[in-house]
Amino acid sequence: MNSDSTDKEDDDSVEDVYEDTVTIQSDPFGSFGSFRGYTEEKQQLHKTVVEPSGYNRYVTTSVLLLGEHPDCQTTTLAKGISGELGNEYSFFHVDSVKSEIMGEENNIETTLDAARSREPSFILLTCLDEHGFGETEYELLRRQIESIQQSHDRVTVVCTAQDQDIDLTAHDSIFEVVIEVPEPGEEFRRGTLNTELERAETAGIIEPTQLDEEALSELNIGDLTLQELRTVIKRTVQRRRRVSGGETPTITSTHIQDSISIVEAEKLEESTGMTLFDEDDTDQFEPEIPSVTFDDIGGLTSEKRRLREAVTKPVEYSDTFREAGYSVGQGILLHGPPGNGKTMLAKAVANDLSYQFLSVKGPELDQPLVGVSEDQLRELFQTAREHAPSVIFFDEFDSLAPSRKTDTPVWKDDLVNTLLSELDGLEPLADVIVMAATNRVDKLDDAVLRSGRFDTFIKIPSPSLEEQVEIFTVHTDDLPTGENVTTEWFRSLRLSDLSGADIMAVCRKALEFAVRDFDTGSAQQLVVTRANIEAALDRLRSELRQQQQSSRGFR
């Protein structure tokens, strides 16, 4: 607990009994000038809280800062308010509704009583999300705030919360000002770098370092989270101290950008530029417009043109097609060997149309419990209708709609029947495009392939050498590659057995090798070399051989 002496302190001060969960001080917790970004929210708070603080007995009494995402800076903004108030204020922070020392005694009641005796006061409550904060605590907070308002005490209570739980919704009338705080924007995230540098400087482990506006703007922080940006500075400090020979190191923006590249390469989630042909899952019940475009996909020129003819043009001229009696949401089946971009093409279609995208793999609906798979399938189509215009994409379609002429389980037959019913549309599929992908078109049920259900069949072949080179170029555009890593050199490698997904994996593995070499000091610069790419190729082929041997062993 932090406590600064002040003339307003009483002998029975609250910090003496709640020293584990309550902070009381005469200095503010922060200020708006201590962090970048959140300009609109700062303006709102200045108008609704800071300005009224000078209105004597007409101050704003209760404020709620609500941010649903863990990165939302509700507490930072709340602490910033304290620095905008007058120096006559006392400042209180309660981070738990109950004290470990006092057991069942309630921190809020005791702290607010103390704050009222030391007015003008600012109280920050960051305990509304705490498990023990329920109906009783909300009612207690309401009574305290109403009492403050009736007595016209100069006391401002600022609360932060993340979960919009039932209790908070029921008691939102407690607060005079409610502000929804969004995730931090790029300006705040860039400012986080300077905040972390300042901490390292204060600790005496680096020379004074602050990046000016120009240096901050030149850093390519991508979509790194706040925690990842903190890791960037930590990795930078560690590297600089390792090579400084015992001296307190200096840090430049170049050092920080190198660490950004390392952290980005280590992220488990790959950025859009590194997920081409990555046939990943999209939550089937969380539709979104994909970020992948046709330009992001190397090769497949004729296939992309065919998709535009079959999907985007009919949508563009939808009135003409409907007047002629044709459906705009016709079925599109993409078929061919795995790893060559079927999923990415489907996403690019949705992006091109600005349609919501819903994706599910056939095996995900393999639920032998009676009726479960059928219910999930109906829910998927209903979600697509509710979020129309939309694209439904079925990957591994042969698992979802296998031929009923074979010895399939009864529940599989029921699932196929449900699919046919949805495609035929007792409830129309207005503005819903159905797409599917399979490696085994010969295994699909004949009824599914009937005209009116799936009308367009597009084969997605393995890439030619020219397409492999184009895919390689797309993947390496954003990589720090050596000067001799060229498309001509890549063309000279043995590539005949590589799919689009294989090339993506090689590029990512090569970047991992480059990061390893740079981070361990065996390379002076973070660049992907020919040796990195050749090593990645060898690793990929070794892993593929092991997979083939394992699969043969299980036969």
Side-chain angles (χ1 to χ4, degrees), residues 132-371:
F133 203 102
E135 183 73 24
T136 301
E137 286 70 29
Y138 277 115
E139 284 301 329
L140 175 61
L141 180 60
R142 181 191 297 278
R143 290 199 302 271
Q144 286 278 350
I145 289 176
E146 289 177 348
S147 177
I148 291 171
Q149 292 170 336
Q150 292 169 3
S151 61
H152 299 290
D153 290 335
R154 291 184 64 194
V155 175
T156 297
V157 181
V158 178
C159 302
T160 66
Q162 178 179 335
D163 297 325
Q164 295 196 51
D165 57 25
I166 296 176
D167 288 329
L168 180 56
T169 303
H171 295 283
D172 60 358
S173 59
I174 296 174
F175 306 101
E176 296 173 325
V177 176
V178 177
I179 295 178
E180 293 189 10
V181 179
E183 294 180 49
E186 187 167 308
E187 186 178 5
F188 184 92
R189 292 190 296 126
R190 290 185 187 278
T192 299
L193 297 172
N194 266 341
T195 301
E196 295 304 311
L197 286 171
E198 185 177 350
R199 290 177 180 173
E201 177 188 331
T202 302
I205 58 177
I206 64 172
E207 289 292 332
T209 304
Q210 286 288 293
L211 302 180
D212 58 25
E213 191 73 26
E214 182 179 358
L216 280 174
S217 65
E218 289 177 351
L219 290 174
N220 183 18
I221 65 173
D223 60 351
L224 294 181
T225 65
L226 295 179
Q227 184 55 51
E228 288 163 350
L229 289 170
R230 296 184 185 107
T231 300
V232 162
I233 299 302
K234 181 184 293 185
R235 296 293 292 273
T236 305
V237 171
Q238 291 171 346
R239 281 187 54 78
R240 293 297 297 152
R241 288 187 66 84
R242 194 157 59 231
V243 301
S244 65
E247 297 182 0
T248 305
T250 57
I251 290 178
T252 68
S253 57
T254 301
H255 299 139
I256 295 173
Q257 188 63 61
D258 287 341
S259 294
I260 289 173
S261 299
I262 292 174
V263 171
E264 284 182 325
E266 291 175 341
K267 289 178 64 175
L268 293 178
E269 297 81 13
E270 300 160 3
S271 66
T272 300
M274 287 297 294
T275 57
L276 301 180
F277 299 116
D278 181 17
E279 315 247 351
D280 61 337
D281 293 336
T282 298
D283 191 331
Q284 66 212 64
F285 301 119
E286 291 294 335
E288 62 179 2
I289 298 176
S291 57
V292 178
T293 70
F294 283 119
D295 291 337
D296 293 326
I297 303 173
L300 300 175
T301 302
S302 62
E303 290 75 17
K304 288 187 281 190
R305 183 177 62 250
R306 182 72 185 94
L307 271 173
R308 286 191 172 101
E309 293 172 354
V311 184
T312 58
K313 288 302 179 183
V315 169
E316 185 179 347
Y317 295 93
S318 58
D319 291 342
T320 302
F321 273 76
R322 289 194 175 105
E323 288 174 6
Y326 296 115
S327 171
V328 175
Q330 62 176 319
I332 313 291
L333 182 68
L334 308 177
H335 61 98
N340 289 308
K342 295 186 288 293
T343 300
M344 303 311 291
L345 284 169
K347 289 182 176 180
V349 167
N351 174 278
D352 203 42
L353 297 170
S354 296
Y355 276 24
Q356 299 291 327
F357 185 75
L358 300 94
S359 175
V360 63
K361 288 188 176 182
E364 294 175 355
L365 294 176
D366 283 355
Q367 303 288 342
L369 294 177
V370 177

Side-chain angles (χ1 to χ4, degrees), residues 404-436:
R404 288 170 292 179
K405 294 178 182 178
T406 60
D407 188 20
T408 56
V410 174
W411 62 270
K412 275 281 190 180
D413 291 347
D414 293 339
L415 185 58
V416 174
N417 290 331
T418 301
L419 175 63
L420 296 176
S421 175
E422 291 292 341
L423 291 173
D424 290 340
L426 291 176
E427 186 175 349
L429 287 174
D431 295 319
V432 176
I433 294 171
V434 181
M435 300 184 68

